Amino acid sequence: MQIQRFSGGFFFDDSSNRLKELFKVNQTEVVRFEPEFVAIPFDQHIGAPNKLVVAIGDQVQKGQIIAKSSADISGHVHSSITGTVVEVCEVPALGENTQTAAIIRRNQSKDHTESLIDANFSYEKTVRAAGIVGLGGATFPTHVKLNPADHIDVQTIILNGAECEPFIASDDFLMQKESRKILRGGEIAREILEAKEILVGIEKDKPKAIAAMEKAANKVKNCRIVPLPVKYPQGGEGQLLETLIAAESPLDGRSVETGAFTINVATAFAIAESVDERKSLTHRYVTITGDVKKPQVIYFPLGTRVKDLIDACDGFYGTPSRIIHGGPMMGKTITDLDFPLTKGSNAIIVFNEEHDGKVTESPCIRCNRCVEVCPVRLEPQNIDLAYRNDDLFTCDQLLATACINCGCCTYVCPARRNLAANITKAGAAIKNEKEALEDAK
Ligand code: SF4
Ligand code: SF4
């Protein structure tokens, strides 16, 4: 199949590739971790906030809904273990924030196994009941995504197995272990959307995943596995579409307008488990790597604390300097090890002093390198300058809200300017201002 390279982006340099090799997870067997208690945040999706539907003291089963909203754009949250709700309290969130969570203590050695999803539900209702959201990190409710506007004619289902952020191996491992279920999820999406073909994009540095998926794809009609160049950010939705079907996504992010429906391979896996096994989304795979003694991909119940998973990897290697939720390019720093992992958690990366590349900013030298790598063709240096001058009007004119927060500009900047973080803040401030204006009307 003919593919084309997406605009912008870059190839990691030798020092990054050496670190990739050092932090590589080498494992063949599934590692499961089941803690004594979990802290399950009510909101693990983009959309309307959920309300708690259980009370302190209630016995809950694994897969039972504990928080939900009647709004369409929302994602139900389930208990990930069988136990007792012992507390509702604030727990750490990303940044300096907190979030409300239900603390559930395990009180049976065996989790409940009977399905709690109605067997008569349609595919779409099942996906909603199972609380499935985009597991590549976007956390947008999947049942909403599966219901595009009437004028959209979806021809192609794209399963995103690119996993282009360094060090993360969660999707790679999932594709090696669960290739059939992933493609089954793609087939269900194809049936719902009446699409024709399934394409699975996987970066070429995952040969075992490509082999496993190709073997499974032999039994699926109109399904192709497409090995992709190892170029960052290949896993961005827009970049994947550009590479696979030569389509340009609209800047507002509604990529389905291109006639292709894109979901992460982990989301496809969750869809298959919900439809065929009536399972709610209670567990996922996460990569724990970097400066930990035993880097691993772990299958864990949602609500497990970072500290418990670090312990499951035999603890830190050296003294941690920075811990990132997600990948090193797009992830966010976490400062409290009580932070609970949720639906959007695909990796925890630990850097000790030796590997934490702390840098000092200097003035922009107008080299234009940030512009050359920006995959959405923005002017990062100019948006950054406008943001530093509190000039949101100019940031808006320069399309700051179209930034996909890939971090390419920051990575290549010789002046070490904190471009991506500032542009993301500018985009958020513009959106907030516009929403406030709408509300005031
Ligand atoms: S972080 Fe935003 S501005 Fe920077 S390269 Fe990526 S998309 Fe462009
Ligand atoms: S890469 Fe850095 S130094 Fe070069 S133009 Fe962009 S902001 Fe300025």
Side-chain angles (χ1 to χ4, degrees):
M1 176 182 168
Q2 189 88 27
I3 59 168
Q4 72 166 39
R5 293 211 164 163
F6 63 86
S7 334
F10 66 89
F11 299 95
F12 285 104
D13 60 20
D14 287 348
S15 70
S16 297
N17 284 331
R18 274 196 296 278
L19 210 53
K20 262 171 107 172
E21 209 44 48
L22 185 69
F23 290 169
K24 198 171 180 175
V25 174
N26 281 314
Q27 106 190 33
T28 51
E29 298 304 318
V30 174
V31 174
R32 295 173 197 276
F33 180 73
E34 290 292 341
E36 276 312 297
F37 71 88
V38 287
I40 304 185
F42 298 178
D43 295 314
Q44 302 182 31
H45 62 278
I46 288 179
N50 284 332
K51 283 207 175 95
L52 190 68
V53 294
V54 292
I56 294 171
D58 282 1
Q59 301 289 309
V60 291
Q61 298 172 352
K62 177 184 165 191
Q64 179 179 335
I65 293 174
I66 61 164
K68 66 177 182 178
S69 162
S70 56
D72 191 36
I73 303 182
S74 65
H76 300 342
V77 167
H78 306 75
S79 180
S80 57
I81 62 174
T82 296
T84 307
V85 181
V86 292
E87 196 181 351
V88 173
C89 60
E90 291 297 298
V91 297
L94 289 174
E96 300 296 313
N97 303 325
T98 62
Q99 56 190 334
T100 314
I103 313 296
I104 299 172
R105 185 169 289 282
R106 189 185 294 278
N107 62 0
Q108 285 181 14
S109 55
K110 264 201 157 184
D111 277 323
H112 172 86
T113 50
E114 195 183 314
S115 172
L116 298 170
I117 300 178
D118 192 321
N120 296 316
F121 278 178
S122 64
Y123 285 170
E124 294 94 321
K125 263 188 142 181
T126 299
V127 169
R128 175 166 168 74
I132 298 172
V133 299
L135 297 180
T139 68
F140 187 77
T142 303
H143 67 276
V144 181
K145 202 169 168 180
L146 280 166
N147 187 20
D150 288 345
H151 71 276
I152 294 172
D153 179 21
V154 176
Q155 295 285 317
T156 307
I157 304 296
I158 293 180
L159 303 186
N160 187 348
E163 200 167 53
C164 58
E165 280 249 24
F167 318 138
I168 306 181
S170 307
D171 290 347
D172 185 355
F173 193 71
L174 178 70
M175 288 187 281
Q176 292 176 45
K177 293 290 169 193
E178 300 286 2
S179 51
R180 287 206 186 130
K181 279 193 196 175
I182 292 168
L183 293 184
R184 170 70 183 136
E187 287 183 293
I188 292 165
R190 173 163 66 183
E191 202 176 319
I192 293 171
L193 295 164
E194 298 176 6
K196 291 192 172 65
E197 61 173 353
I198 299 172
L199 300 178
V200 188
I202 308 172
E203 280 197 343
K204 282 180 185 162
D205 62 353
K206 300 170 184 57
K208 288 182 188 162
I210 291 172
M213 293 295 286
E214 278 177 341
K215 195 170 167 203
N218 285 334
K219 298 197 174 102
V220 180
K221 70 169 175 121
N222 288 341
C223 175
R224 274 175 295 170
I225 309 302
V226 188
L228 304 168
V230 185
K231 183 187 179 194
Y232 185 80
Q234 181 65 76
E237 200 169 60
Q239 291 60 53
L240 196 58
L241 287 171
E242 210 176 323
T243 308
L244 290 176
I245 60 165
E248 195 159 326
S249 287
L251 283 180
D252 66 4
R254 273 195 284 263
S255 64
V256 74
E257 297 274 353
T258 62
F261 172 86
T262 311
I263 44 170
N264 178 266
V265 288
T267 314
F269 171 70
I271 291 173
E273 287 214 314
S274 71
V275 168
D276 293 341
E277 299 168 38
R278 319 309 292 168
K279 277 188 184 171
S280 297
L281 181 56
T282 60
H283 286 60
R284 69 161 297 159
Y285 285 92
V286 65
T287 305
I288 312 289
T289 190
D291 290 305
V292 292
K293 289 193 179 135
K294 192 176 171 193
Q296 297 179 98
V297 174
I298 300 179
Y299 188 67
F300 72 98
L302 303 177
T304 302
R305 297 176 306 176
V306 169
K307 78 160 63 140
D308 295 328
L309 289 166
I310 298 281
D311 286 347
C313 293
D314 294 346
F316 295 118
Y317 186 81
T319 306
S321 166
R322 194 157 50 107
I323 302 173
I324 299 175
H325 176 263
M329 298 299 294
M330 297 179 74
K332 302 259 184 318
T333 301
I334 51 174
T335 52
D336 190 328
L337 293 178
D338 282 336
F339 179 86
L341 297 193
T342 56
K343 296 177 185 179
S345 304
N346 61 351
I348 295 292
I349 318 283
V350 180
F351 291 107
N352 64 20
E353 289 283 348
E354 186 191 346
H355 296 125
D356 188 7
K358 285 191 175 148
V359 291
T360 311
E361 281 192 339
S362 55
C364 170
I365 56 169
R366 312 301 291 179
C367 67
N368 222 37
R369 284 169 71 178
C370 53
V371 178
E372 286 160 15
V373 296
C374 179
V376 282
R377 304 184 192 93
L378 302 181
E379 296 171 21
Q381 82 284 40
N382 291 332
I383 303 174
D384 175 57
L385 279 177
Y387 179 72
R388 288 172 199 248
N389 290 328
D390 291 327
D391 182 359
L392 283 186
F393 177 77
T394 301
C395 292
D396 195 16
Q397 298 254 298
L398 292 170
L399 304 175
T401 50
C403 170
I404 58 168
N405 191 28
C406 64
C408 289
C409 48
T410 306
Y411 184 87
V412 299
C413 176
R416 303 298 194 193
R417 297 185 61 84
N418 206 7
L419 301 168
N422 283 345
I423 295 164
T424 305
K425 284 185 209 156
I430 292 164
K431 279 183 189 154
N432 286 343
E433 261 192 6
K434 288 186 177 170
E435 274 168 22
L437 278 174
E438 276 299 308
D439 290 347
K441 274 183 190 168

